[in-house]
Structure formats: C-alpha cells, structure tokens
Amino acid sequence: MNDSTSILFGMPEIAVADVERVADDQGRPGRLVHIERPEDWAACPDCGVVSTRVRQRRTTRPRDLPYGEEPIGVRWHKRQFACTETLCARKAFTESVAEIPPRARVTGRLCRAAARQVASGRSVAAVGREYRLGWPLVHRHFTAFADAVLLEPEPPEVLGIDETRRGRPTWIKNEVTGKWARTERFETNFVDLSGTGGLLGQAAGRTGQAVIDWLNERGTQWKSQVRIVAIDPAACYRTAIGQALPHAVIVVDHFHLVALANKALTAVRQRITREERGRRGRATDPEWVNRRRLLRSRERLSDKSFTRMWNGLIDHEPTGQILTAWIAKEELRVLLACAREQAPRSVISHRLFRFSAWCADSGIAELITLAQTIDAWWPETLAFITTGITNARTEGTNRLIKDAARVAFGFRNLINQRRRVRLACTHQTINPAA
Ligand SMILES: [Zn+2]
C-alpha cells in the first residue's frame, strides 16, 4: 500500500487498484475508485484460521467522503474465502476492513464526518442531505460521538444557575372549561462560571425541586466542591441552593437587579402618564420621548442628551416622580458599582443607606417595593459586591443554548435536544475535529 494513489485515498488496510474517469447519466464527469485489500489471505472471524481459498468475488459500492469537486464513487472488490478449518462450523466468510464493516454501506470516515458536522451546530437533516445519508444514520453516529465527548461534568468552584425558555409558547385547551391557556416550557441551566466547563447540564422546569434533584444527582463529593452559586433573583432558586448546597455563598446577578430598578422606573413613568393625561404615552409627551434615555445609565448618556432628558422632565412633569425614580435607579447602580471599585465596607453601607432612604422618603409605591426587594436580597447582593461574580457568562451561554435548540427544533425528544445543546455549549473546550 505504498503506491501514491493508495496513500492519497488514505483508508487503512485498503489499496487502490485503479481510478477511472466516468460520466453520470447526464454526462457530468466523475471518478470511480476501485479498492481492495492488498493481502491474498484473510482470517476467519469465527476460528481465526487464515485462508487463501477464494470462493467468490463481489463488488459493493460503499459511500465515502467527497473528495475534490467532481463526485467520486467507490467500488470495493471484496472476496469471499472458504474456511479451511475442518472443526469450524463456518464454511465461508467475506473479508472486511475496520472502515467498512460487514454489511456497511457507508464508510466509517463518512459517518464520523457527518457526526462532527452535526456537533458543530448543523441540523441532522442538512448534514444528511449533503452526504446523502438518512436521518437515523446521521443521528445515531452523532449520538455516539456526543456521548463519548460529554462525560460527567467536573464540579465547578463557581456555579451559575439560570433559566431559558424551551421552544415557543404553546396554547393548550382545557377539556373541562374549554378555555385556552398559554403554557411555556422552561429549562434550568447549570453553568461553570469559574473554569472552562461551559454548560454542565440542564433540568426541565424552573422550580427549586429541579435544581435540588440535579444537584443531588451529582453526589455529595461533587456538591461539596461548589463554593459560590450565582443566580437570578428568584426565590425558588435561593431556597433550593440553601437546601442542596448549604455551605455555598449565593451571589445575585447585578444585571437583574438593575433590570428590577428599570422596571420600577418604567412602571412609575406609565402610571404618571395615565394619571396626568388619562391615556397612554404618545410621541408628543416628553416622558415618552425620553423613555429610553431614562433606562440608559448616566455615564452612557452624553451631557447634551442628559440635559435634554432632565430639563424635559423638570419642565413638563410636575409631580417629579419620574425623576425621583430615575435617581433611585442611579443610586442602586452607584451602590452596585462598589464591586468594580472594590469599595471599603463603610462606603458600601453609606451607599446602601442613601439608596434605601431615597426610596423610602419618596413615598412612591414602586420605589418602596424596589428597596424592599433589595433588602430581601441584601446578603446575596453584598456577595456580588464583594466577589464581583456575575451570571453574564451564563447569559452568553443562553444565546448558544437558543441557537443550538433552534437548529435542533426537530427534536421532540428532550434527551436528544439536551445532548445537542450541551455539546454546542461545551464546544469551546472540545475540538470535534480532533
Ligand atoms: Zn473458521
């Protein structure tokens, strides 16, 4: 097998006997490669005795990887040998090689290439079309590939937990009342925030029990190594961590805290418009014109933009509540900025007091609720300020999860989808081409 054509073809145990030019039905040019095993003997798969007695020859056409621009066909000239061992029950056997096992119609390297393509994010159907392979075959090889790669995840020092929606919301009719109800399916994602583990796993639903079950499945040893858990401000997650990982420090994600403040600010703005104008906001209302500026952080507003917003509200919003809510939001951001600035404890307490007092003194219901929420999450907020840990990388993984789920939308089977998603999110650390 040292001839250059066999080396170029590059299939172990196989020699290229001939390559010819052919044309298909439409007269398009192609190539046909004739391959064979170079040895003139083969060992019986049952008894292992070597035979040289050829009984008959057959030609099969295994499908192989494309090579070059013109189509390439393979003809495997294989022989059937007679087993010469008298004690062996088998009278005859057909030779085979590892890349083309008995009865296989597709070469091993084509199957592996298809599995890698799916692993890199393409749909099973698209890969099947390109290589002209059936969906079940491609999926079976992808499954084997993924399961070999996706081992039990290593315990991370910092664990991120959050939720993603699975699929589109669906409407289900209640058989008794006849009413339609909107249902959404959620998944809880577990992400390695300290190392390179990416997505560690997923659980159905967004309940505390889902979190507890998933963590308990990992075992005591695994759980004991998780030091910090970053979550969205969801009470069910906090309770679940307290139960499953009582030793871990819980950090609440600061983006979600700022989002709560922005939500309060928007609620105040909409209420004021309703109360003052008796209708919803319009393009002529200064508070409506400034609605996006209000949500942007102060340092991301130009001085001109800030002045326009500020003066517009001073001049046209007589209650001053919108500006009060805006200041509350900025006070919270200043408090959370302690993480970036590594501010000492005294500064943290001072800023917390300023924020809480501002909300309480305002007498505005939305801001009082906001201050109460921050108070209820203060240990976890303080843990963010002192560690600076955020779920931001989890949010990045969420995008990957959504992309992978979209490509795999044909999967009704949850296990199949999870495998797809996890492989996509662990992708940075595994080179599927290797
Ligand atoms: Zn035999």
Side-chain angles (χ1 to χ4, degrees):
M1 274 190 276
N2 288 325
D3 69 288
S4 30
T5 321
S6 297
I7 293 169
L8 188 65
F9 191 65
M11 187 182 285
E13 305 174 78
I14 282 293
V16 172
D18 191 20
V19 182
E20 56 174 324
R21 294 210 149 277
V22 290
D24 68 5
D25 311 342
Q26 277 100 44
R28 282 180 299 229
R31 293 154 299 166
L32 205 53
V33 185
H34 296 272
I35 59 170
E36 60 192 19
R37 272 182 75 242
E39 294 84 9
D40 56 4
W41 54 266
C44 169
D46 281 5
C47 63
V49 171
V50 167
S51 169
T52 54
R53 254 180 56 202
V54 176
R55 279 183 62 182
Q56 49 175 307
R57 294 168 192 276
R58 279 179 57 219
T59 302
T60 61
R61 5 172 108 195
R63 252 171 297 153
D64 194 24
L65 273 178
Y67 179 77
E69 292 184 332
E70 292 174 4
I72 193 160
V74 176
R75 295 288 178 273
W76 184 21
H77 301 278
K78 60 179 177 182
R79 296 156 293 185
Q80 190 192 51
F81 289 88
C83 182
T84 49
E85 171 56 59
T86 45
L87 294 174
C88 183
R90 196 164 185 150
K91 293 286 163 264
F93 62 92
T94 305
E95 64 185 339
S96 70
V97 292
E99 281 293 277
I100 317 173
R103 285 179 293 281
R105 290 172 173 189
V106 181
T107 63
R109 61 187 184 183
L110 179 56
C111 296
R112 290 194 298 278
R116 278 199 301 269
Q117 290 280 322
V118 177
S120 68
R122 295 180 63 195
S123 76
V124 172
V127 173
R129 267 198 304 278
E130 184 183 332
Y131 290 147
R132 299 196 298 140
L133 302 172
W135 197 98
L137 182 85
V138 175
H139 185 249
R140 195 171 68 236
H141 284 282
F142 165 69
T143 304
F145 174 85
D147 289 348
V149 168
L150 295 174
L151 305 169
E152 178 65 12
E154 289 287 310
E157 199 185 329
V158 183
L159 176 66
I161 299 179
D162 70 357
E163 58 176 44
T164 42
R165 188 183 287 122
R166 175 176 135 76
R168 290 199 195 119
T170 49
W171 290 83
I172 292 173
K173 192 175 183 178
N174 186 315
E175 292 301 327
V176 183
T177 62
K179 279 184 183 159
W180 288 85
R182 185 183 148 109
T183 56
E184 286 179 307
R185 287 176 300 173
F186 284 88
E187 299 215 300
T188 299
N189 309 303
F190 301 86
V191 182
D192 179 0
L193 291 178
S194 45
T196 50
L199 183 69
L200 302 168
Q202 291 179 292
R206 48 172 171 175
T207 59
Q209 198 56 47
V211 171
I212 292 171
D213 290 346
W214 190 88
L215 289 169
N216 285 344
E217 269 173 41
R218 307 276 84 72
T220 316
Q221 171 69 19
W222 195 96
K223 288 195 292 179
S224 68
Q225 294 187 57
V226 179
R227 220 166 47 80
I228 300 171
V229 185
I231 58 172
D232 302 350
C236 64
Y237 284 164
R238 179 167 60 180
T239 314
I241 307 293
Q243 216 173 311
L245 303 171
H247 60 278
V249 173
I250 302 177
V251 174
V252 68
D253 187 61
H254 72 298
F255 287 113
H256 287 88
L257 297 176
V258 174
L260 287 178
N262 274 334
K263 235 170 95 184
L265 170 54
T266 300
V268 170
R269 173 178 63 76
Q270 289 170 339
R271 180 174 53 75
I272 293 298
T273 303
R274 241 180 0 253
E275 285 171 6
E276 295 293 305
R277 308 179 194 275
R279 55 161 173 78
R280 287 172 54 171
R282 273 184 204 159
T284 47
D285 306 340
E287 72 274 15
W288 196 86
V289 170
N290 284 303
R291 71 197 185 286
R292 292 215 177 83
R293 278 190 201 112
L294 283 165
L295 301 183
R296 203 171 294 166
S297 49
R298 170 63 188 97
E299 59 275 15
R300 295 177 92 192
L301 285 173
S302 67
D303 284 342
K304 202 175 138 199
S305 201
F306 172 71
T307 311
R308 195 179 302 150
M309 177 197 84
W310 187 267
N311 290 344
L313 289 169
I314 293 272
D315 295 344
H316 301 286
E317 202 272 280
T319 73
Q321 289 190 38
I322 298 178
L323 273 185
T324 306
W326 182 83
I327 292 167
K329 183 256 293 183
E330 288 299 313
E331 287 289 358
L332 179 63
R333 290 190 53 254
V334 167
L335 169 63
L336 296 172
C338 288
R340 214 171 40 235
E341 299 161 16
Q342 295 181 331
R345 266 319 251 272
S346 58
V347 172
I348 299 172
S349 325
H350 176 64
R351 290 182 185 179
L352 173 64
F353 175 76
R354 251 179 36 189
F355 163 75
S356 306
W358 182 264
C359 292
D361 294 348
S362 73
I364 298 171
E366 292 89 343
L367 299 186
I368 292 170
T369 307
L370 175 67
Q372 283 167 346
T373 308
I374 298 299
D375 185 49
W377 285 88
W378 180 245
E380 294 80 11
T381 306
L382 184 61
F384 158 71
I385 291 173
T386 48
T387 62
I389 288 169
T390 84
N391 245 346
R393 237 175 91 195
T394 325
E395 299 286 330
T397 308
N398 283 351
R399 219 181 34 248
L400 281 174
I401 292 170
K402 282 184 182 142
D403 288 349
R406 199 169 298 133
V407 175
F409 73 94
F411 285 130
R412 294 281 151 87
N413 181 326
L414 210 61
I415 294 169
N416 283 346
Q417 191 192 359
R418 294 235 174 90
R419 183 188 289 114
R420 268 303 279 268
V421 167
R422 230 189 109 202
L423 195 71
C425 300
T426 325
H427 207 199
Q428 305 97 312
T429 52
I430 303 164
N431 179 7

